[in-house]
Each structure stands twice: as structure tokens, then as C-alpha cells.
Amino acid sequence: MGVPNTFVDGTVASASEVNANFTNIENYLGYAEIDTTDFNTTTTPTDVDVTNLAVTVTVPSGARKIKITVFTADFYTNAAAATDLYLKIKEDTTVLILGRARTAQINEVTTMTVVYVGTATAGSHTYKVAIAQSAAGTMHIAANGKAFILVEQI
């Protein structure tokens, strides 16, 4: 197995460079992250797709189950206390799974991980992250805290 990219300590790697390094690993299917630009949106309760948190993968024939992991280290809203924040994994418009966190105060930073395990047919699939909230306000995912979507076969 050859590794197409070599990185020097301290080098920032783009998602495409990381993807290129892992295409030969048996269980890895795809990865995307927010790494340089914060994501902000005002919505309630409509889902909003998170820019840069979508990945198209090719599921091989005879594949086992897939596992999709979404992580946000710095997710918050300026809406009122006791606002529900929703982090969803979707394929097209279908919600595969959602996570919910309730804020205790305005601008309370929440770390969330949502994991979906299921089966997928062989072929191309696009998985994405969407967010929503239960009250009016601006939701925020900070790039410095990292947010990612990872698709693997298990």
C-alpha cells in the first residue's frame, strides 16, 4: 500500500490530502471537515446543511455495515437558554439519525458526537450533516474546534 502524500510535522493537511492517504485502507470510505472557516446560520426549526460537512463515498459490493461518525467540538447558539440543538446525519433528505443537546444558557459551547450504524447498497452515496434548533437564534460551529464527518465500513 503506497501513501500518496507525506507530511512534515506542523504541516496543515487539507481534507482531500487526508482522503488520498486513506483510500487504500480497508475500512475507510470518506472524510470531510471544517478546518478554516466557522459555520454560522440562523434557523428554527428548518434543517440547514453544514457547508463542507458532506462526503460522497463508494460502498463496495458485498460491504458489511457502514458507520458514520459526526463530531463537533464547538457548537452553540445565541438563542435563549433551554434551546434544543439538533445535529443530524442525512442521506439526501432522509435523516438517518439525530443527536440533541439542550443548552443551559446562551452561547453555551456544546461538544457533540453522533454515530449512525446501518447498511448501504453498493455504489455511490452522499452523506451530510445538517443542524437545526428549537428557538430563534444564530447557531455556530467553530473551525478551530474541528468538526468532521467520517464514513467507514465495519
Side-chain angles (χ1 to χ4, degrees):
M1 171 175 75
V3 178
N5 295 303
T6 303
F7 304 105
V8 178
D9 186 30
T11 301
V12 176
S14 70
S16 62
E17 291 169 326
V18 171
N19 284 339
N21 272 26
F22 289 102
T23 55
N24 293 326
I25 294 177
E26 179 183 343
N27 294 332
Y28 172 84
L29 294 176
Y31 174 84
E33 68 180 15
I34 296 175
D35 59 359
T36 58
T37 305
D38 292 353
F39 180 80
N40 297 287
T41 187
T42 301
T43 181
T44 178
T46 306
D47 288 358
V48 174
D49 294 343
V50 179
T51 305
N52 296 327
L53 285 187
V55 62
T56 299
V57 302
T58 301
V59 175
S61 60
R64 304 167 298 241
K65 291 184 178 274
I66 62 164
K67 175 179 153 184
I68 305 169
T69 304
V70 171
F71 172 79
T72 60
D74 196 346
F75 182 28
Y76 63 90
T77 182
N78 67 2
T83 296
D84 290 328
L85 296 174
Y86 300 101
L87 183 65
K88 303 177 183 187
I89 298 174
K90 298 174 79 173
E91 181 174 15
D92 300 318
T93 59
T94 302
V95 175
L96 301 176
I97 194 167
L98 69 85
R100 179 184 69 123
R102 178 163 286 173
T103 62
Q105 59 191 11
I106 296 171
N107 293 327
E108 176 184 21
V109 174
T110 301
T111 298
M112 290 183 71
T113 302
V114 178
V115 178
Y116 167 79
V117 175
T119 56
T121 58
S124 181
H125 296 267
T126 299
Y127 300 105
K128 61 187 176 180
V129 177
I131 57 177
Q133 62 186 341
S134 62
T138 300
M139 290 182 294
H140 179 83
I141 297 176
N144 65 346
K146 294 293 182 195
F148 68 82
I149 180 170
L150 171 64
V151 183
E152 306 164 277
Q153 56 181 344
I154 57 172

